[in-house]
Amino acid sequence: MSNLALHAGSIARERLLDEGLRPESFRVLVGASGGPKWFVLHGLDRYLFGEFFGAAANELITLGSSAGAWRMSCLATADPVAAIDRLATLYSEQRYSEKPNEKEVTQQARLMLRAALGENGAQEIIENERFRTHILAERCKGLGSSEVKWLRASWLAASASLNVISRRTLSWFFQRTVFTNMGDLSPYRNLVDVDTAIVPLSPDNLHDAMISSGSIPFVLEGTRDPAGARPGLYWDGGIVDYHFDLDFCSGDELVLYPHYLGSVIPGWFDKHISWRHARRSNYDNVVLLAPGQDFIASLPNGKLSDRGDFVRFGHEERLRLFRQVLDRSQVLAEEFDRLVHHGVSAEQIKPIGNLSS
């Protein structure tokens, strides 16, 4: 197995060796931020949303930020494979003016998400009692919600600087907001790592929750005052929860985490902080799936797709490259299917990277 890398925490490793990969073993499914990096996981998502979890009967909690939240929302629609295909097509085919402003990018993203979910998608997600959706966004506190752009920029710089000292300082600037169709029954209502609020999903706020979860500061506008939530400006969930460093609340069951890396970075501001690691205890029950390094090297330009590709390449060239990655992503699904049907050996399981005690 050279294309798909299987990583696991200590408890998950023993469960995999004893039980193999079974949908009923998993309580939580996670989707990370990362924008177009997600394209490499498209084939795996199709397999998980259809064949793997499609016939299982157990309730599955999903948790996502930014593009990860968009993917997890597709799962809770009536036809999740069709929804994830629409998201992949619409996202990869996005076209902007030569120098798009925040308003243009936000409008395009809103149209894309509505089309991906379909006419009744919002209601289907809210009413789905099997796939329990959790969409993460960050409510800005204080000057972060100012209408004055330079004040917001200064406030954001201050939050990034203090984050170097401690992630807990993020609570001075943001309130993690979890939009969910579980309401107060959500297992994430008691998170204490940073200030956290729970907001019930409704027809009036689902699309706002999705767009705010992916609203990269000063690339998208963010969302002001979503229905049912505290007033303020809501930005990208990845600011606090880029790859996550929280209790996934899976109990004795496992967490499945299809990821584009074999390691995790807690928050968006932590990308260049070499000593910042996620807590190992939060990943004991996690099974993390990621493309292997050789597979990534085989992709166009030897790398994952990323937001910079929208600047590096013209529309037709970018679309050609994105389609190649989406097509190649099916290989990961095929290798995962082999693991499901033929079992997992100890030699195939790697540790999850960037964890500390």
Side-chain angles (χ1 to χ4, degrees), residues 103-157:
K103 182 176 182 179
E104 178 184 349
V105 177
T106 303
Q107 288 176 338
Q108 291 275 17
R110 283 187 176 274
L111 290 171
M112 175 187 72
L113 293 176
R114 286 185 177 275
L117 296 186
E119 183 178 357
N120 301 313
Q123 198 65 38
E124 291 163 1
I125 293 166
I126 293 164
E127 295 176 353
N128 196 318
E129 296 184 353
R130 183 178 164 225
F131 296 123
R132 300 303 235 164
T133 302
H134 293 77
I135 300 170
L136 272 59
E138 311 305 333
R139 181 180 68 84
C140 301
K141 297 180 178 180
L143 294 177
S145 289
S146 172
E147 297 283 356
V148 181
K149 192 170 183 178
W150 72 264
L151 285 176
R152 294 202 310 271
S154 299
W155 170 91
L156 189 67

Side-chain angles (χ1 to χ4, degrees), residues 214-272:
S215 289
I216 301 168
F218 307 113
V219 177
L220 282 81
E221 294 177 315
T223 302
R224 290 196 176 273
D225 308 334
R230 291 187 64 180
L233 178 66
Y234 286 70
W235 262 342
D236 196 316
I239 294 173
V240 173
D241 297 296
Y242 189 56
H243 297 164
F244 305 98
D245 182 19
L246 49 74
D247 182 353
F248 289 114
C249 302
S250 63
D252 294 330
E253 296 169 282
L254 300 181
V255 177
L256 186 60
Y257 193 167
H259 194 14
Y260 49 84
L261 295 176
S263 59
V264 292
I265 300 168
W268 190 39
F269 295 143
D270 300 323
K271 290 188 287 185
H272 303 295

Side-chain angles (χ1 to χ4, degrees), residues 5 7 32-33 37 40-41 242-243 257-265 288-293 296 304 352-353:
H7 304 258
S33 299
K37 293 183 179 71
V40 76
L41 301 175
Y242 189 56
H243 297 164
Y257 193 167
H259 194 14
Y260 49 84
L261 295 176
S263 59
V264 292
I265 300 168
L288 187 148
L289 308 170
Q293 289 303 309
I296 292 175
L304 299 169
I352 298 171

Side-chain angles (χ1 to χ4, degrees), residues 192-235:
V192 295
D193 58 319
V194 297
D195 184 19
T196 300
I198 296 290
V199 176
L201 279 171
S202 71
D204 294 327
N205 69 21
L206 185 134
H207 289 289
D208 279 346
M210 290 182 70
I211 197 68
S212 60
S213 185
S215 289
I216 301 168
F218 307 113
V219 177
L220 282 81
E221 294 177 315
T223 302
R224 290 196 176 273
D225 308 334
R230 291 187 64 180
L233 178 66
Y234 286 70
W235 262 342

